Amino acid sequence: MKKILYILIVVGLFLLSPIAEAQDDNVFQDVNVDDLGVVTDEFQEAFFEALKQKGIENYDRAIEALDKCIALRPTEAILYFEKGKNLALSGDSYGAEANYLKALQLKPDQRDILESLYEVYYAQQDFEKAIGVVKKLADYDIQYKEDLARIYVRTKDLDQALAILEELDDKLGKDAYRNQIRQQVYALSDGDLKEKEIQNRIEKDPESEQNYLNLIYVYSEQGETQKAYETAQKLLKINPKADIVHLALYKFNLDKGDVEAGIKSMEKVLKSTTIDAKAKHTVLNDFLIFVDKNPEYEIELENAIALFSEEENIDVNQELGSYYLKHNDREKALAYYLAAYDKEPENLDVLKNLMMLQIENGKLEDAVSLSDEALALYPSQPVFYLIYGVAKNSLEQYEDAIEYLELGLDYVIDQPAIESDFYKQLAIAFEKAGNPTKAAEYRKRASTIMQ
């Protein structure tokens, strides 16, 4: 009878265990309870008490009860495992670690213990210890190798991380999550590892255009124009009609002063169906920087942006608006920001710039209307209250200006410049509304806050 009761308690322990709930295999399923011999009433009571106290989250008492069980049966791995779980739940990760290690001594390479030990090491941020545990877990499930790659990123073992990611891609196929880890590796390596890995891929598969494209993109990011050009020439030998060579030829021609050839290459890039949008966008941004220094090519820039928008169905009006705003062409900037607003009416930066341009271009009623719309979306953005106030002052509607400016001041925190602008507009509004005392008070605040 005692044996049967003990079996029921052990089964109950498995059912209560979080690990048992998460997996099909019960913890220590190969333990032969019949081999335990006679189980005393004292052990049964202590074991049942441990289960009960754990169930009500009284982990200290559960640990006390398990210690009694361990004193009676010191070679049962499950007792140390359960004690470790209670210690982990109570916040004692180092105590949990010691008990998991003891359980592993008695039951080597037990998956459930390894998983719990890995959780402890991760909580401790002890990645060196975690590596050995995760390697063993990977023998049970290859997906643990993704965890291993992430740990190698944390420990800056970037070559190891890339090697594992390549292995997983070969065995399981490409994966967006692994690609995110790979991008982290590239970012930490300043591009060196990215270049090395892509070169290795080209050696393995010299016919893959995508690998050449990736390498050209890396060289372009690094400003290695000559290397990008040489890579493009290698690709031309494989496929003379490859669009992606123009990623390199575009930049190379611009740098050597052959702008016409560079623009032709850029157009081929933008029209290409094999080059991704990110690479096209990089070329476009690069050309925008070029035109910034060579404004005589603004028409070509607008044509290129129109082409990009048409081919990729991506709106770049905001970028053009920003470009013309920077060059003080307020009229063109306003037109492009209006187009950007039509596409993205909730874009915060678009709203801010559009409203300021509306005021500068005398579109005061439009600025008031858009401010109201923006405040419905972003009621805690002080700049929209300020723009509303500026527009209302310009329209000589001073009471409305005062109402919104005073409301907006409540949202200005640690922004002395914008706070000063509020005070200046309030001074104007009160002066025009016939309250010179208040106006003087706000003028004084405006001058004081900027000192």
Side-chain angles (χ1 to χ4, degrees):
M1 180 65 184
K2 290 180 179 178
K3 282 188 182 179
I4 293 172
L5 179 58
Y6 181 70
I7 292 170
L8 292 173
I9 291 171
V10 172
V11 170
L13 171 64
F14 296 156
L15 294 174
L16 288 171
S17 166
I19 291 178
E21 291 173 2
Q23 299 176 14
D24 293 332
D25 298 329
N26 283 332
V27 181
F28 302 118
Q29 64 177 11
D30 57 343
V31 171
N32 187 347
V33 181
D34 289 329
D35 291 340
L36 294 173
V38 177
V39 179
T40 66
D41 290 339
E42 183 181 1
F43 183 92
Q44 285 182 34
E45 288 172 7
F47 200 45
F48 183 77
E49 182 67 14
L51 292 176
K52 182 179 78 172
Q53 295 299 334
K54 181 187 176 187
I56 60 175
E57 300 182 4
N58 197 339
Y59 305 119
D60 289 340
R61 289 196 175 182
I63 291 165
E64 289 175 11
L66 286 165
D67 281 338
K68 290 179 183 178
C69 292
I70 289 169
L72 294 168
R73 290 188 171 275
T75 59
E76 297 299 335
I78 194 168
L79 299 177
Y80 297 98
F81 180 55
E82 272 300 308
K83 183 177 177 182
K85 287 195 288 183
N86 279 279
L87 286 163
L89 289 166
S90 65
D92 184 358
S93 65
Y94 293 98
E97 175 191 359
N99 278 274
Y100 290 149
L101 290 172
K102 178 65 177 176
L104 280 174
Q105 286 178 1
L106 296 167
K107 198 74 175 175
D109 297 333
Q110 178 68 36
R111 177 174 178 173
D112 304 279
I113 307 174
L114 289 170
E115 287 175 333
S116 295
L117 185 59
Y118 171 38
E119 289 176 8
V120 162
Y121 287 147
Y122 206 90
Q124 294 172 355
Q125 301 288 282
D126 193 336
F127 299 114
E128 294 297 337
K129 286 183 179 178
I131 287 171
V133 176
V134 178
K135 283 181 177 178
K136 290 181 179 179
L137 284 169
D139 292 337
Y140 293 102
D141 185 348
I142 193 172
Q143 291 292 347
Y144 272 106
K145 290 206 170 181
E146 284 187 356
D147 287 51
L148 190 56
R150 284 193 300 121
I151 292 171
Y152 279 135
V153 172
R154 299 292 292 269
T155 59
K156 302 297 189 294
D157 294 323
L158 304 179
D159 285 312
Q160 296 263 44
L162 276 181
I164 289 172
L165 293 171
E166 281 295 295
E167 177 191 347
L168 289 171
D169 281 354
D170 289 343
K171 290 182 178 178
L172 306 176
K174 302 289 184 183
D175 178 85
Y177 175 67
R178 287 196 294 277
N179 198 46
Q180 287 179 354
I181 301 174
R182 185 178 280 106
Q183 294 304 321
Q184 284 182 285
V185 173
Y186 293 155
L188 290 169
S189 69
D190 296 323
D192 293 339
L193 277 177
K194 190 174 185 179
E195 177 185 345
K196 179 180 175 183
E197 186 195 22
I198 295 170
Q199 286 173 336
N200 288 338
R201 289 186 178 190
I202 289 174
E203 288 179 13
K204 290 180 183 177
D205 186 7
E207 302 297 317
S208 170
E209 291 187 17
Q210 185 62 45
N211 289 333
Y212 289 95
L213 170 61
N214 292 341
L215 190 56
I216 289 169
Y217 182 63
V218 168
Y219 286 141
S220 299
E221 279 185 326
Q222 295 172 349
E224 297 277 5
T225 309
Q226 184 62 36
K227 285 186 177 181
Y229 178 75
E230 290 169 1
T231 305
Q233 296 303 312
K234 290 178 183 177
L235 179 56
L236 278 175
K237 293 179 181 177
I238 297 170
N239 181 4
K241 295 182 179 180
D243 291 335
I244 63 173
V245 298
H246 293 283
L247 280 170
L249 295 176
Y250 149 76
K251 184 66 174 171
F252 186 79
N253 286 324
L254 276 189
D255 286 351
K256 74 175 185 179
D258 192 346
V259 179
E260 185 178 346
I263 290 173
K264 285 181 179 179
S265 286
M266 177 179 65
E267 289 174 352
K268 288 185 178 180
V269 168
L270 297 177
K271 290 178 180 178
S272 173
T273 58
T274 58
I275 297 175
D276 64 30
K278 182 180 178 182
K280 292 181 181 181
H281 211 163
T282 299
V283 167
L284 197 57
N285 282 335
D286 187 72
F287 189 60
L288 195 149
I289 293 168
F290 171 79
V291 175
D292 192 26
K293 298 174 183 176
N294 302 274
E296 64 270 26
Y297 293 102
E298 281 185 0
I299 297 298
E300 286 78 2
L301 173 64
E302 291 187 27
N303 292 338
I305 288 178
L307 180 59
F308 176 68
S309 301
E310 179 184 344
E311 293 293 327
E312 295 297 327
N313 196 26
I314 295 173
D315 180 54
V316 287
N317 284 296
Q318 184 180 354
E319 292 176 43
L320 267 178
S322 176
Y323 170 80
Y324 285 112
L325 184 60
K326 180 181 176 182
H327 288 272
N328 293 313
D329 190 337
R330 273 15 194 190
E331 191 174 342
K332 277 191 175 180
L334 175 60
Y336 281 111
Y337 272 112
L338 276 170
Y341 167 74
D342 287 339
K343 293 283 187 180
E344 293 185 273
E346 296 183 10
N347 185 307
L348 191 61
D349 290 329
V350 169
L351 286 167
K352 287 178 183 178
N353 287 317
L354 177 54
M355 278 183 272
M356 287 188 285
L357 284 165
Q358 284 173 333
I359 288 175
E360 289 182 17
N361 283 274
K363 310 286 187 182
L364 301 175
E365 294 289 356
D366 291 343
V368 168
S369 176
L370 192 57
S371 298
D372 263 337
E373 186 179 317
L375 285 168
L377 293 169
Y378 305 103
S380 62
Q381 282 289 328
V383 68
F384 296 141
Y385 293 93
L386 179 59
I387 291 171
Y388 186 97
V390 170
K392 284 293 187 179
N393 272 341
S394 299
L395 290 167
E396 301 181 0
Q397 296 171 6
Y398 305 115
E399 294 299 332
D400 287 345
I402 290 168
E403 180 186 355
Y404 272 72
L405 290 166
E406 288 181 334
L407 280 171
L409 266 175
D410 292 337
Y411 299 104
V412 180
I413 301 171
D414 296 328
Q415 295 173 285
I418 195 170
E419 189 172 350
S420 174
D421 288 338
F422 267 93
Y423 293 146
K424 290 173 183 176
Q425 291 299 318
L426 279 164
I428 293 169
F430 277 112
E431 186 73 41
K432 297 292 185 179
N435 192 336
T437 305
K438 274 281 191 182
E441 177 188 331
Y442 280 114
R443 275 194 293 270
K444 183 178 179 181
R445 288 191 192 181
S447 61
T448 302
I449 196 170
M450 294 304 293
Q451 290 178 357

